[in-house]
Amino acid sequence: MDLVFHAARAVTPDGERSCSVGVSEGRITAVEDYGALSGDRVIELREDEVLLPGLVDTHVHVNDPGRSDWEGFDTATRAAAAGGVTTLVDMPLNCLPPTVDVASLDVKRRAAEGRIAIDVGFWGGAVPGNRGELRPLHDAGVYGFKCFLLHSGVDEFAPLDEAGLEAAMRELAEFDGLLIVHAEDADTIDGAPAAHGRAYTDFLGSRPSSAENTAIARVLDLARRTGTRVHILHLATGDAVPLLAQARADGVRVTAETCPHYLSFVAEEIRDGATEFKCCPPIREAGNREELWRALGDGVIDCVVTDHSPCTPDLKRFDTGDFGDAWGGIAGLQVGLAAVWTGARSRGFTLDDVVRWMAQGPAEQVGLPRKGRIAVGCDADFAVFAPDDAFVVDRTRLQHRNPVSAYHDRALAGVVRASWLRGREIDLDPAAEPFGEFLTREDAAAPVRSGQR
């Protein structure tokens, strides 16, 4: 074998165990008892380290091309690798042009070529007027289609109205495409007080949980009628959990995600003017946070992904602290694993649970059978994780392009000491040559080489 890991602790689909993992030509070829394998190169994990499968983050805004000063493929993928993420799927908006047709997908791939430190796939967008582009994008390899039910924050990615949502879902049902939905109801938010000023409570009141509930109920009703596969993005309210549980019991093909910031922060602790915490849907109260943790434990929420949505510092309006004017989005790609592990272990969850939520679950949700598991036949993607080590987040030391982080000064448990992609350790030096590959839906078992179409 090319490479063997000896790990006293490793998280596999059968649970945590002591084992040796063999790698040949970038694939896992054996998982045996500890010490049973030998190879050309042997990595002996330290006593305090656990071998995890590389995480899969299916909700990342790279913002490249067009807004690469907000992030970019080089910095985003290095930040991901620093946080144990070895596969990401990039969102179709905040880049210019948005990924709403095959031509714009080609533009994005050209922008990413030779600049990705990890494996990268792409979402397409469902917007007014592009129904005819959905099947060609699907055939070009996107993993599904994102839509908004209210203003997205950028004018070039318009929301779907009721008729447009149903039309898109019926089109996707024709080829079993996946619709992923930013589920907040525009009318509900239009009827709420406008976001303004420095008080976080006022911002929270401008995005009530009823907006999520109404939108999710609408999506689930249409999914029942059309048979379309749907996925609820960044669930922030525990109130919607019974809706999701009932829909799934009724046979609706629905999955849902939440994010580390909804599991970490609470509205009661966000100080006035702290616009680094602004995101949409918003971070809600402490009781709501615990409902999300319970839904994860019960399996109603399928996965945890970051919704990494960075921007330049000026867009956060730190000069005024006005939540109405500030950009809504939290940059958490590098610290997501530590944030979730910190909260999980304090509630009695294990690393098995975290791997299910952040590696295996997201991989299964988008259809990446070779990702997110330490199992024979899977890509040799790993995170070497020290769960009992700790650190305090310093925004200036993160790999993200801009030093803006809601996690700044927060003490977190768990340190990623190395990440491996297809049997090669990822070098985080900006001067190092990246070797990530493009992934496409139709050949999830055989990733596209960076630069190929």
Side-chain angles (χ1 to χ4, degrees), residues 197-198 270-278 309-331 395 402-408:
R198 293 174 52 85
I270 298 176
R271 66 188 186 281
D272 289 352
T275 53
E276 64 268 30
F277 291 93
K278 179 181 177 179
S309 185
C311 66
T312 53
D314 60 298
L315 293 177
K316 278 296 187 181
R317 295 309 309 268
F318 294 128
D319 56 338
T320 66
D322 191 317
F323 280 95
D325 293 339
W327 174 259
I330 288 180
R395 62 188 173 217
N402 292 290
V404 178
S405 176
Y407 295 93
H408 179 64

Side-chain angles (χ1 to χ4, degrees), residues 71-92:
E71 190 61 274
F73 282 104
D74 48 356
T75 53
T77 56
R78 284 200 305 272
V85 175
T86 54
T87 301
L88 68 79
V89 186
D90 177 43
M91 282 291 166

Side-chain angles (χ1 to χ4, degrees), residues 317-364:
R317 295 309 309 268
F318 294 128
D319 56 338
T320 66
D322 191 317
F323 280 95
D325 293 339
W327 174 259
I330 288 180
L333 187 54
Q334 185 170 334
V335 297
L337 171 58
V340 173
W341 172 236
T342 299
R345 73 173 189 171
S346 71
R347 292 168 174 82
F349 293 109
T350 67
L351 281 174
D352 287 3
D353 297 313
V354 173
V355 165
R356 186 174 66 255
W357 300 331
M358 302 189 76
Q360 185 171 339
E364 291 175 351

Side-chain angles (χ1 to χ4, degrees), residues 368-384:
L368 287 168
R370 288 211 334 246
K371 300 294 188 181
R373 296 180 300 138
I374 297 178
V376 172
C378 290
D379 287 349
D381 300 347
F382 307 109
V384 177

Side-chain angles (χ1 to χ4, degrees), residues 331 334-335 391 393-401 404-405:
Q334 185 170 334
V335 297
F391 68 105
V393 178
D394 180 347
R395 62 188 173 217
T396 67
R397 298 176 64 86
L398 298 175
Q399 295 281 341
H400 307 157
R401 175 147 292 159
V404 178
S405 176

Side-chain angles (χ1 to χ4, degrees), residues 33-287:
D33 291 340
Y34 184 90
L37 301 175
S38 61
D40 297 337
R41 184 183 181 192
V42 175
I43 305 295
E44 188 83 39
L45 266 64
R46 299 175 186 174
E47 185 177 336
D48 66 338
E49 294 174 342
V50 184
L51 190 66
L52 306 182
L55 304 188
V56 178
D57 193 337
T58 55
H59 196 149
V60 179
H61 295 269
V62 178
N63 307 329
D64 196 359
R67 293 189 174 97
S68 57
D69 56 331
W70 294 17
E71 190 61 274
F73 282 104
D74 48 356
T75 53
T77 56
R78 284 200 305 272
V85 175
T86 54
T87 301
L88 68 79
V89 186
D90 177 43
M91 282 291 166
L93 73 156
N94 299 348
C95 52
L96 294 170
T99 315
V100 295
D101 54 32
V102 174
S104 58
L105 176 63
D106 286 341
V107 169
K108 180 170 281 191
R109 283 177 172 161
R110 287 195 294 271
E113 186 174 345
R115 298 173 57 212
I116 52 176
I118 65 170
D119 287 353
V120 173
F122 302 98
W123 295 107
V127 297
N130 86 324
R131 180 176 178 179
E133 302 291 343
L134 302 182
R135 183 59 185 262
L137 274 168
H138 179 82
D139 292 342
V142 302
Y143 286 92
F145 302 88
K146 181 175 187 176
C147 73
F148 280 76
L149 306 184
L150 77 173
H151 194 276
S152 68
V154 290
D155 292 337
E156 67 272 6
F157 199 93
L160 296 176
D161 61 15
E162 186 88 18
L165 177 63
E166 180 170 355
M169 291 177 75
R170 293 193 180 280
E171 178 70 18
L172 296 182
E174 291 292 321
F175 52 86
D176 201 32
L178 172 66
L179 187 70
I180 64 174
V181 186
H182 181 123
E184 287 183 286
D185 179 64
D187 289 341
T188 302
I189 289 176
D190 287 345
H196 67 283
R198 293 174 52 85
Y200 185 78
T201 52
D202 290 341
F203 170 64
L204 185 59
S206 75
R207 314 285 293 216
S209 59
S210 58
E212 284 190 80
N213 300 335
T214 299
I216 290 170
R218 181 184 308 136
V219 170
L220 294 176
D221 178 62
L222 282 170
R224 283 188 180 91
R225 292 195 275 125
T226 62
T228 311
R229 290 190 298 137
V230 295
H231 177 75
I232 304 301
L233 296 166
H234 45 49
L235 184 68
T237 176
D239 291 348
V241 169
L243 294 174
L244 293 165
Q246 185 60 56
R248 197 169 295 174
D250 293 343
V252 176
R253 295 192 296 167
V254 58
T255 52
E257 68 185 38
T258 194
C259 305
H261 42 275
Y262 300 128
L263 300 170
S264 299
F265 305 120
V266 293
E268 294 92 334
E269 297 175 358
I270 298 176
R271 66 188 186 281
D272 289 352
T275 53
E276 64 268 30
F277 291 93
K278 179 181 177 179
C279 58
C280 300
I283 295 161
R284 303 193 189 280
E285 298 84 356

